[in-house]
Amino acid sequence: MTEVLQNIPFLATERTEALLDIERHLIAGQSAIERWFRGQFQKTPAPFYASVDLRNSGFKLAPVDTNLFSAGFNNLNPEFSSLYVSAIQHYLNQYHPGLERVLLIPENHTRNLFYLENVARLRELLEMSGLEVQVGSLLLEERTAYDLPSGNSLLLEPIFREAGRLKAAGFDPQLILLNNDLSGGVPEILENLEQPISPPLAAGWRSRRKSQHFAHYRTAAHELAEVIDIDPWLIDPFFRRCQGIDFMRADGRDCLVANVDAVLELTRERYAHYGITQRPFVIVKADAGTYGMGIMTAYSGEEFMDLNRKERTRMAKSKEGLPVSDVFIQEGVYTFEQTAEEAVAEPVVYMVGQQVLGGFYRVHTGRGRDENLNAPGAHFEPMAFGEPCVMPCRKSPPDAPVNRYYAYGVIARLTLVAAAREMADWRRQQIRSVE
């Protein structure tokens, strides 16, 4: 445990007044916060699992991305496996009582052994929760075993369909659990199944949009900000959206320029209000999932007037080579957290249901505090989450690890509320389409 605690990044900035004020409000309002969360998840149940990338600038703590097909369970601290299993069991007891058999469907990139480590760890946690688990592939035509760098092994079975049921090697699951974000679209074999699918097919990046998620997040953040009496901007990044973009032909460039400048101007106003001297920036990325691809930091709209061919090519494609036409323009949030080696870091928090599991710091020695860290060269440092982080310590300073982690957990669960509301929207749309 001591080794883990030594790996906690520190805030390399003196601008922490706003953050300390947020943490004081969170500590003082803990009872009201937990009551509010309980009410929200009673209205709209949380997804099975999710992870969120946070950024801590010292004056602002906010999410920058929420993933409903979490990959990275192998990076969680193994010392707290009992906590992870307990969270899974709690979710199953609440939403899937009597569930025994689960078919886990991962991404198709089976050559990425580090991703498969995540699949093996997720399978292990599900099995420890009392489930019978098979891992099925949308791509493979025959059973394939993988020996992983950790010494673990993973067996992938080809899946097939009998009438309205998905099966693998004679295994008839009661639930299909996706760890595949369906960026390439929904395969026909997954459509109109008798078995429930989690997350729902509509959560795949072929149809889901970051702008929709952050619109829900904005509403939730403002509601919670009212409960604890803080400026919602301190936990909520500004954003805009542009559609019909073609980076190669420069179509939609005027929309990009105008909306980048609009977000920057809004940010400048808040910076001036709080006396923040840093230069505002934006992150421009595909409105659908990017897998760390097609992301650009910009300090003015003019930067999009003369992108070179390499930059246009990089922004024009996302995961699986899919063209980018809808673009998400998000207020950039600096990360002033860094390791003892002065590498920049950002917290990534994992959840099952409404329970915070913990997480890790994504660390990158080759990226700056205003850049995307989800890029080749990143490594991970486990967080020292010893509890579900719903109990701050009122006797400790606001920036004590237990209170800092509680703050992370609150913001992470806010993204869960937003995701739950997204899923409620999808269910309503599905009902309307049937009618």
Side-chain angles (χ1 to χ4, degrees):
M1 181 64 66
T2 302
E3 181 181 353
V4 175
L5 289 172
Q6 289 175 345
N7 288 330
I8 297 175
F10 62 92
L11 271 172
T13 177
E14 296 179 356
R15 292 308 310 259
T16 59
E17 298 94 339
L19 180 63
L20 292 174
D21 192 52
I22 294 172
E23 291 170 341
R24 291 188 188 97
H25 280 78
L26 293 177
I27 295 168
Q30 187 252 350
S31 295
I33 290 168
E34 298 307 321
R35 186 165 57 249
W36 183 83
F37 274 124
R38 187 167 61 251
Q40 298 309 308
F41 291 126
Q42 287 172 350
K43 296 176 189 174
T44 50
F48 178 77
Y49 54 19
S51 61
V52 57
D53 297 351
L54 302 178
R55 303 278 284 206
N56 187 350
S57 63
F59 52 82
K60 182 165 186 158
L61 175 62
V64 294
D65 200 15
T66 303
N67 187 356
L68 297 182
F69 303 90
S70 305
F73 280 93
N74 55 308
N75 295 317
L76 296 178
N77 193 333
E79 291 186 25
F80 304 132
S81 294
S82 60
L83 171 64
Y84 314 150
V85 171
S86 177
I88 294 172
Q89 290 175 331
H90 178 79
Y91 186 89
L92 296 176
N93 291 339
Q94 189 169 11
Y95 299 111
H96 298 283
L99 182 69
E100 296 179 357
R101 300 181 304 279
V102 172
L103 178 64
L104 175 61
I105 299 181
E107 295 279 359
N108 292 332
H109 44 253
T110 52
R111 294 183 180 179
N112 185 337
L113 297 183
F114 292 104
Y115 169 73
L116 293 181
E117 292 276 17
N118 154 74
V119 178
R121 178 60 170 152
L122 179 56
R123 181 207 61 195
E124 181 183 39
L125 292 173
L126 293 169
E127 289 176 342
M128 288 192 292
S129 302
L131 296 172
E132 187 179 351
V133 184
Q134 288 273 19
V135 183
S137 171
L138 293 169
L139 183 66
L140 299 175
E141 296 182 357
E142 59 183 33
R143 174 182 294 182
T144 305
Y146 295 89
D147 294 322
L148 303 177
S150 65
N152 290 332
S153 61
L154 182 66
L155 181 66
L156 267 62
E157 301 278 3
I159 61 176
F160 61 94
R161 183 164 175 160
E162 285 186 358
R165 300 191 68 81
L166 206 61
K167 299 183 180 182
F171 182 73
D172 188 359
Q174 297 163 295
L175 173 72
I176 311 301
L177 180 61
L178 292 179
N179 200 245
N180 183 315
D181 66 16
L182 305 177
S183 293
V186 177
E188 186 177 354
I189 195 172
L190 296 181
E191 294 181 342
N192 303 312
L193 290 172
E194 294 175 4
Q195 300 126 312
I197 300 178
S198 182
L201 297 178
W205 281 122
R206 198 60 181 265
S207 54
R208 185 179 179 230
R209 292 294 179 267
K210 295 179 187 294
S211 53
Q212 295 169 349
H213 172 75
F214 276 94
H216 281 295
Y217 177 82
R218 169 151 299 170
T219 300
H222 281 240
E223 291 172 12
L224 184 65
E226 187 173 349
V227 171
I228 59 176
D229 191 26
I230 64 169
D231 177 357
W233 175 76
L234 297 173
I235 57 175
D236 176 33
F238 294 122
F239 70 89
R240 291 288 188 274
R241 179 192 188 194
C242 284
Q243 297 176 278
I245 302 295
D246 187 327
F247 282 99
M248 300 309 296
R249 298 172 53 186
D251 292 345
R253 186 169 56 185
D254 291 343
C255 179
L256 271 176
V257 171
N259 281 284
V260 166
D261 286 338
V263 171
L264 288 171
E265 183 57 32
L266 289 170
T267 307
R268 283 191 201 97
E269 292 174 2
R270 301 315 297 159
Y271 276 25
H273 176 78
Y274 285 102
I276 297 166
T277 58
Q278 273 76 28
R279 186 183 179 193
F281 69 99
V282 299
I283 296 293
V284 178
K285 51 192 171 183
D287 203 11
T290 61
Y291 214 65
M293 301 170 63
I295 300 177
M296 179 175 171
T297 299
Y299 284 86
S300 73
E302 290 184 7
E303 295 181 38
F304 292 91
M305 296 300 292
D306 54 355
L307 295 178
N308 60 40
R309 184 170 183 83
K310 181 179 179 180
E311 291 169 329
R312 293 199 306 270
T313 301
R314 178 167 55 84
M315 294 297 295
K317 301 288 184 181
S318 66
K319 184 183 174 187
E320 298 187 15
L322 297 173
V324 173
S325 60
D326 294 352
V327 173
F328 187 58
I329 302 158
Q330 186 177 53
E331 174 194 343
V333 182
Y334 285 96
T335 177
F336 283 119
E337 292 190 283
Q338 65 182 45
T339 64
E341 294 76 25
E342 298 187 354
V344 293
E346 64 184 8
V348 183
V349 178
Y350 275 62
M351 296 155 286
V352 165
Q354 63 197 66
Q355 302 289 324
V356 176
L357 300 186
F360 51 82
Y361 283 96
R362 181 183 288 118
V363 180
H364 206 300
T365 58
R367 292 288 176 110
R369 57 187 54 166
D370 61 348
E371 294 182 282
N372 167 53
L373 304 187
N374 186 14
H379 70 275
F380 309 99
E381 300 283 357
M383 284 186 190
F385 274 40
E387 299 178 12
C389 295
V390 295
M391 289 292 293
C393 180
R394 301 186 183 207
K395 295 181 180 180
S396 299
D399 59 349
V402 63
N403 292 327
R404 181 63 46 84
Y405 288 154
Y406 178 69
Y408 290 165
V410 169
I411 304 304
R413 284 183 289 161
L414 262 181
T415 70
L416 269 188
V417 172
R421 293 178 181 182
E422 278 184 277
M423 293 195 299
D425 280 353
W426 300 331
R427 285 192 292 269
R428 285 190 287 267
Q429 292 170 7
Q430 188 176 36
I431 292 171
R432 285 196 294 267
S433 66
V434 172
E435 293 174 347

